[in-house]
Amino acid sequence: MNEGLAIRTRGLTRDFGALRAVDHVDLDVPRSRIYGFLGPNGSGKSTTIRMLCGLLTPTEGSATVLGHAIPAEAEALRRKVGYMTQKFSLYEDLTVRENLDFMAEVYALRRARKRDRVDTISERYGLTRLLGQRAGTLSGGQKQRLALGAALLHDPELLFLDEPTSAVDPENRRAFWESLFDLVEAGTTILVSTHYMDEAERCHELAILDQGRLAASGSPQDLARDIDARVVLLRTDRPRSAGKALHAEPWVLSVAQVGNELRVLADKAQEDAVAAVAARVRAAGYEVAHCESVPASLEDVFVAATLPNRTARRERAA
Amino acid sequence: MKFLHRIGAVAAKEVRQLRRDRLSFGMIVALPIMQLLLFGYAINMDPRHLSAAVADLSGTAASRQYVHDLAQSQVIDIKHQVGSAEALEALMRAGQVSVGIYLPPDFERRLAQPDRAAGQLLIDGSDTVVQAAAASLVSPARTAPVADAPPTLEIRTYYNPERRSPVNTVPGLIGIILTMTMTLFTAVAIVRERERGNLELLITTPIRSWELMVAKILPYIFIGLVQASLIFWLGDSLFRVPMRGDWLDAYAVILLFIVANLALGLMISTLASNQFQAMQMTFFILLPSILLSGFMFPFDGMPRAAQWIAEVLPMTHFMRLIRGIVLRGAELGELRGELAALGAFLAIALTVAVRRFDKTLD
Ligand SMILES: Nc1ncnc2c1ncn2[C@@H]1O[C@H](COP(=O)(O)OP(=O)(O)O)[C@@H](O)[C@H]1O
Ligand SMILES: [Mg+2]
């Protein structure tokens, strides 16, 4: 078994009745890294995390987490992982301190260690002044810090964060991510799901999930370099109409308007995409002010990887 | 002893949450008191103006005075004057009167005789309220009060298959209250935790599922014992409910019943997907427990099918046990069958609950 891997899955699959929520996913998550799950709602991020925590039994496939086979050895894993659920799942009718004490006791920390950890954690995550407040009355950002702190009380080797920043303002999100890098430097492995591009961009590695399938995986840089499309930026006087004209072309994968510009993803088979895009727009009768090839962003990667009818378009193009 | 640590943590949290939920916490005490007063006084209440008929065969001044005194009490309204005991019985059979007063021709002479009753008081005993009230009529004084003498009127109770009274109701009330609170509280406590997502977090921690179950029911065992004691205490001070059996036996039976209901609550929590469903399922059990267990209506008078259903309910067996101990002073050994039935129910509910209460979200 690979020593450097925190998580390894092969063909991991989960069905809910007729619905295949996770479809043969292969993951290799290295240790001491932030590994991201990027995907739209319903793409199977939570389901995958729940299987890796031993909360759900896989329908098919295998998974090894910190050297333990899942779900058979899930119990042995409990002490080594922390889990921050997508929905706030601490007790809203208990105070911050009561919640932290409770979680520490459930992890059976000794009294002195419990006090020590609760103090350290509440200081690190700015909870000290909130200790006496009911968790239900906290703001989104405060709840998130409490949930993260609670998941870290027992010093887990591996931390699962399921969309941790969905109810948090941008400034708090920044601070939150800084704290994640602190943890990684101390040796923790973090698996975090998100649907924010800027967050995905900060991960060491990430997996793009689409309808339960692994659409692409790798570092954000590698993913951008290896994107299966050509990216063309176009400035025109009639962006909406030009966009519609382009979209009708079988070799155009997607068109997105950004301000006055159009960001066009063209099929890789289209050798000179810049010329083809400009020609198509002019042919439709609109002016082309500027047209150039640009490096792919993570959003381009995501769009290219999750196109719904990619193969169908290919066949039409051929 | 890490598991004790974990169980303690969950149990303490449970108590803390319950204390903070003012309404539920209040219910623990308010429910038994309210029910006790409701059932106790509904049965014990002092009705007035019961319809009555008089058959005064002696027709003397003394007999007329006696009937007049009875009417003065306002417990009865004399609606009919008839000429024979048979006529009195006919009126009662027809439901026109619930009290009949029969004064024989030699009423005046009998009044002076201390060793026998002078007349008869006929009571429709099919309603315990009526029965209790009418019985109070016998006290009006004889002309010559004598120690240990029989009362002026000899009571003859009609149509009463099973004599019930607050004394009979209060022990059964313990069963109703425990069924209601124990089952509902555990079921809801767990379902709520699942609904709010707390369970998803809890089951990724090292706590084992049996630890979680034990920790969840532990506080309620204590609460159940408090409720039972409250009913015993109020029953004694308000209605003079006796304790003819052994306190230890009574509490042993109550403990068994509490645990059986907690197991039932756990089982419901594994079947219900939200708090409302948990509530519905609890009432699905509670209603037949009230109606069929013998608490409201005499068991023997029920149709066969209802009796079969009743035998499945833990409440029916508890009712027999607790009435046996409290009212008849029975010993546990004599009630072996009922104990076994309750134990079997506990074993089944617990097995189902434990098997279904898996530590996954599947
Ligand atoms: N317990 C469940 N029962 C039935 N379907 C479920 C369940 N959990 C998730 N799903 C379905 O599986 C798919 C993936 O869901 P999820 O893993 O929550 O996605 P994500 O976290 O990426 O938003 C969705 O279509 C969702 O409706
Ligand atoms: Mg999710």
Side-chain angles (χ1 to χ4, degrees), chain A residues 7-237:
Chain A
I7 301 172
R8 183 177 189 275
T9 75
R10 287 298 175 264
L12 193 63
T13 301
R14 170 71 199 207
D15 294 341
F16 292 109
L19 176 83
R20 179 145 289 186
V22 175
D23 190 359
H24 292 94
V25 167
D26 299 342
L27 295 173
D28 292 293
V29 179
R31 284 184 192 257
S32 303
R33 287 284 183 276
I34 300 186
Y35 193 95
F37 271 0
L38 180 64
N41 285 332
S43 56
K45 304 184 295 292
S46 297
T47 307
T48 308
I49 290 178
R50 286 179 179 142
M51 283 193 281
L52 295 175
C53 293
L55 287 179
L56 286 174
T57 314
T59 310
E60 238 182 79
S62 66
T64 312
V65 180
L66 300 176
H68 297 283
I70 294 294
E73 300 170 36
E75 285 296 328
L77 199 64
R78 305 270 190 232
R79 237 172 292 270
K80 300 185 188 172
V81 302
Y83 176 32
M84 181 174 158
T85 51
Q86 181 168 355
K87 187 172 161 284
F88 183 72
S89 53
L90 287 163
Y91 297 92
E92 305 218 331
D93 45 356
L94 297 186
T95 65
V96 170
R97 177 181 285 287
E98 287 166 348
N99 269 299
L100 290 173
D101 282 350
F102 173 67
M103 288 305 282
E105 282 160 19
V106 168
Y107 278 103
L109 300 191
R110 300 206 170 280
R111 188 172 301 235
R113 174 143 172 80
K114 175 180 100 180
R115 206 173 311 133
D116 184 48
R117 286 300 289 168
V118 170
D119 286 350
T120 312
I121 292 279
S122 32
E123 196 158 324
R124 193 195 301 165
Y125 295 104
L127 300 168
T128 314
R129 279 190 307 137
L130 304 171
L131 284 173
Q133 196 174 329
R134 300 255 174 108
T137 65
L138 297 177
S139 74
Q142 292 167 338
K143 274 187 185 167
Q144 173 225 37
R145 271 153 33 213
L146 170 58
L148 178 68
L152 287 169
L153 282 168
H154 60 295
D155 233 340
E157 287 174 49
L158 173 61
L159 189 58
F160 292 102
L161 307 175
D162 196 357
E163 295 194 20
T165 56
S166 44
V168 177
D169 62 67
E171 189 165 339
N172 277 309
R173 269 171 60 191
R174 262 181 98 80
F176 182 77
W177 272 81
E178 295 305 319
S179 70
L180 294 191
F181 282 106
D182 287 339
L183 288 170
V184 168
E185 199 161 282
T188 313
T189 307
I190 298 177
L191 193 151
V192 56
S193 77
T194 181
H195 50 236
Y196 292 118
M197 290 300 158
D198 61 325
E199 289 190 350
E201 206 115 36
R202 304 179 77 155
C203 297
H204 294 105
E205 278 189 45
L206 79 140
I208 297 179
L209 290 181
D210 180 40
Q211 295 178 47
R213 277 187 302 274
L214 184 64
S217 67
S219 72
Q221 298 74 28
D222 289 350
L223 285 169
R225 192 192 60 215
D226 300 338
I227 183 172
D228 187 18
R230 295 172 196 282
V231 188
V232 176
L233 198 66
L234 172 88
R235 202 172 310 133
T236 167
D237 56 338

Side-chain angles (χ1 to χ4, degrees), chain B residues 10 26 59 64 91 112 120 126 129 148-149 151 183 229 252 258 330 339 351 361:
Chain B
V10 176
R64 274 193 293 275
L91 279 172
Q120 283 183 340
S126 60
V129 182
D148 293 333
T183 312
S229 306
I258 287 174
L339 273 179
T351 310
L361 293 175

